[in-house]
Amino acid sequence: MADVLTPRQRSRCMARIRGKNTRPEIVIRKKLWSLGLRYRVNYKLPGRPDVVFVSRRLAIFIDGCFWHRCPLHYQSPATNRLFWETKINSNVQRDGDVDAQLAREGWTVLRFWEHEVKNDPDRVIQSILTQVRGQQ
């Protein structure tokens, strides 16, 4: 199946995809902040977690359904399939490596899917609160 966009249009669309400060990340950060929880962003840890509670050694990632192969929502692209499969496979492998490295260093890692934040952000917040309060 051929791409419906020209290479220039496709390039422009792909360039607009954010790697950080995505809508789901901002939703979670605003809710945590409104609850009085203070955290770090852009904290230098392997994998660059989206939210970090340094004193609690808690790293939180919010993974995009496409980029990290969500078991519910991932659909393999129809065009340039080899490139995308290689790219997504390496993302998934890297996620596992990052989780293992952070665990070895004494960090707790929480990962949430983009769709979890969109569908039920309060449940995501509750999971984070449980972890934060459980470590105090």
Side-chain angles (χ1 to χ4, degrees):
M1 175 181 244
D3 196 346
V4 297
L5 299 177
T6 67
R8 186 174 180 178
Q9 290 170 322
R10 176 62 59 205
S11 178
R12 197 164 164 206
C13 287
M14 296 305 289
R16 294 182 50 85
I17 296 173
R18 292 175 167 226
K20 58 183 177 181
N21 297 322
T22 63
R23 210 169 281 140
E25 291 172 31
I26 291 171
V27 165
I28 294 302
R29 292 192 331 224
K30 283 184 176 184
K31 285 184 177 285
L32 291 171
W33 193 267
S34 72
L35 292 170
L37 295 172
R38 300 303 178 245
Y39 51 82
R40 299 277 185 241
V41 293
N42 301 323
Y43 195 77
K44 290 186 181 184
L45 281 176
R48 292 293 179 135
D50 300 308
V51 176
V52 177
F53 290 93
V54 179
S55 65
R56 292 169 178 80
R57 298 186 70 76
L58 175 62
I60 300 167
F61 294 89
I62 300 169
D63 294 335
C65 289
F66 174 75
W67 300 104
H68 299 269
R69 186 176 274 125
C70 169
L72 297 177
H73 298 109
Y74 178 76
Q75 292 183 354
S76 185
T79 59
N80 209 0
R81 184 166 277 161
L82 179 60
F83 169 81
W84 284 112
E85 288 300 318
T86 303
K87 169 71 175 154
I88 302 303
N89 287 339
S90 70
N91 288 351
V92 172
Q93 178 66 46
R94 185 181 62 239
D95 292 344
D97 294 345
V98 164
D99 290 356
Q101 182 179 356
L102 288 171
R104 282 192 305 273
E105 295 175 10
W107 287 83
T108 299
V109 176
L110 295 180
R111 285 190 178 270
F112 299 99
W113 292 109
E114 159 190 27
H115 74 264
E116 292 178 289
V117 174
K118 288 179 182 176
N119 295 341
D120 194 356
D122 293 333
R123 190 196 65 73
V124 172
I125 293 296
Q126 192 56 49
S127 297
I128 295 169
L129 288 175
T130 299
Q131 192 65 42
V132 167
R133 291 181 179 149
Q135 292 183 351
Q136 290 179 338

